[in-house]
């Protein structure tokens, strides 16, 4: 089940139910030589709501989806939450885990270091054909970060990028983290936004590999969105950013 996003500026993104059984300063793991430009007409962007989804099953579904892609496969955004889990990027170092919380630790194939996922955190996985969109990796990272910045700005919160530290910050505190994988011209993994969650597990890690990095969430910033509402809004803003970069 899916909906297509053609003009996200004038129509909201429809998030529907489904089930899923590099560059300097960018948390990227790359395979296959980047994103060659191909003159293929863009396909609509589909948004899927996976609900609460097991991390490893979702990761495997992303790998399978990417491996099966053709030039005609529509791009997709997958919105979900995960049960509590720690994930370590492809080049991640175990010393960034400071204490054993009894949580699963999954060594994954995205870029970046260690992070925590749990209920109340929205994750949007970005499964795009960058070649078809004529989009460079740095441009994709900028689009993702800008989508979060615009979402927070719509609720009166000033957010920003920090040079050399991918993600989105409110003051010194990180509210959204990102890590990507590029296989040929196809991206997967994506962005996590802290919405209304237990932040205490972040104290047991160096978030994204930065010792002492504070983290925050939209609830503590005075934004009353539920995780479901935040997922829909973030997908809308990201669809707008992607459409702008196609022109």
């Amino acid at each position: 089940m899916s909906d297509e996003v053609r003009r996200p500026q004038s129509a909201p993104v429809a998030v529907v139910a489904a089930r899923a059984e590099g560059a300097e300063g960018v948390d990227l793991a790359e395979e296959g030589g980047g994103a060659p430009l191909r003159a293929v007409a863009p396909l609509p962007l589909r948004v899927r709501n996976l609900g609460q989804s097991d991390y490893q099953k979702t990761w495997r579904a992303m790998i399978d989806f990417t491996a099966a892609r053709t030039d005609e496969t529509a791009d997709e955004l997958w919105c979900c939450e995960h049960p509590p889990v720690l994930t370590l990027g492809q080049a991640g170092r175990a010393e960034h885990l400071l204490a054993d919380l009894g949580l699963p630790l999954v060594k994954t194939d995205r870029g970046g270091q260690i992070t925590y996922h749990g209920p109340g955190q929205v994750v949007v996985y970005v499964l795009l054909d960058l070649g078809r969109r004529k989009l460079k990796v740095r441009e994709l990272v900028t689009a993702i970060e800008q989508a979060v910045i615009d979402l927070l700005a719509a609720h009166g919160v000033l957010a920003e990028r920090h040079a050399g530290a991918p993600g989105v910050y409110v003051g010194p505190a990180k509210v959204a983290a990102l890590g990507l994988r590029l296989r040929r011209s196809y991206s997967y993994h994506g962005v996590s936004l802290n919405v209304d969650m237990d932040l205490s597990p972040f104290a047991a890690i160096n978030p994204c590999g930065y010792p002492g990095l504070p983290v925050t969430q939209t609830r503590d910033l005075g934004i009353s969105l539920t995780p479901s509402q935040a997922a829909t809004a973030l997908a809308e803003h990201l669809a707008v950013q992607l459409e702008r970069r196609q022109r």
Side-chain angles (χ1 to χ4, degrees):
M1 295 178 288
S2 65
D3 273 10
E4 298 178 349
V5 181
R6 291 185 175 83
R7 299 191 60 80
Q9 293 96 328
S10 58
V13 176
V15 181
V16 298
R19 180 58 54 188
E21 265 294 303
E24 180 69 20
V26 177
D27 285 341
L28 169 72
E30 185 170 349
E31 174 182 310
L37 303 185
R38 298 196 309 259
V40 179
L43 292 173
L45 178 65
R46 295 174 179 165
V47 180
R48 300 183 186 273
N49 184 353
L50 308 184
Q52 187 164 133
S53 181
D54 177 80
Y55 181 84
Q56 289 187 284
K57 289 181 179 178
T58 309
W59 175 27
R60 173 50 58 186
M62 285 191 288
I63 291 172
D64 292 346
F65 177 89
T66 301
R69 290 193 72 135
T70 69
D71 289 346
E72 287 71 46
T73 303
D75 292 336
E76 299 195 357
L77 304 178
W78 293 2
C79 303
C80 67
E81 300 174 54
H82 292 306
V85 63
L86 297 166
T87 67
L88 192 65
Q90 191 171 38
R93 300 198 300 272
E95 61 261 33
H96 291 303
L97 176 61
L98 307 177
D100 183 2
L101 298 178
L103 297 177
L105 175 63
V106 179
K107 185 168 177 56
T108 183
D109 63 346
R110 61 165 173 80
Q113 290 287 331
I114 193 167
T115 195
Y116 168 73
H117 299 300
Q121 180 194 70
V122 168
V123 184
V124 178
Y125 291 118
V126 182
L127 296 102
L128 305 179
D129 182 338
L130 301 191
R132 182 170 60 210
R133 290 180 175 271
K134 300 183 180 180
L135 195 64
K136 292 179 169 49
V137 173
R138 182 67 254 181
E139 294 171 326
L140 174 58
V141 171
T142 298
I144 294 170
E145 292 173 335
Q146 193 61 48
V148 176
I149 290 169
D150 289 350
L151 169 58
L152 298 183
H155 295 271
V157 175
L158 178 63
E160 60 189 3
R161 300 175 180 87
H162 285 183
V168 177
Y169 300 78
V170 178
K174 195 165 196 173
V175 68
L178 64 90
L180 297 170
R181 172 77 177 185
L182 194 64
R183 179 166 292 172
R184 302 191 304 277
S185 69
Y186 305 136
S187 69
Y188 60 104
H189 292 289
V191 59
S192 59
L193 174 65
N194 302 333
V195 177
D196 187 358
M197 63 185 299
D198 176 10
L199 295 176
S200 63
F202 284 103
I205 64 174
N206 292 326
C208 303
Y210 295 98
L213 179 68
V215 294
T216 188
Q217 58 186 330
T218 58
R219 182 192 67 191
D220 296 341
L221 298 170
I223 299 174
S224 60
L225 293 177
T226 66
S228 178
Q229 291 168 334
T232 299
L234 182 53
E236 290 176 358
H237 283 286
L238 184 51
V240 169
Q241 290 298 318
L242 292 172
E243 181 172 304
R244 286 176 180 169
R245 284 163 173 78
Q246 278 186 261
R247 295 174 181 171

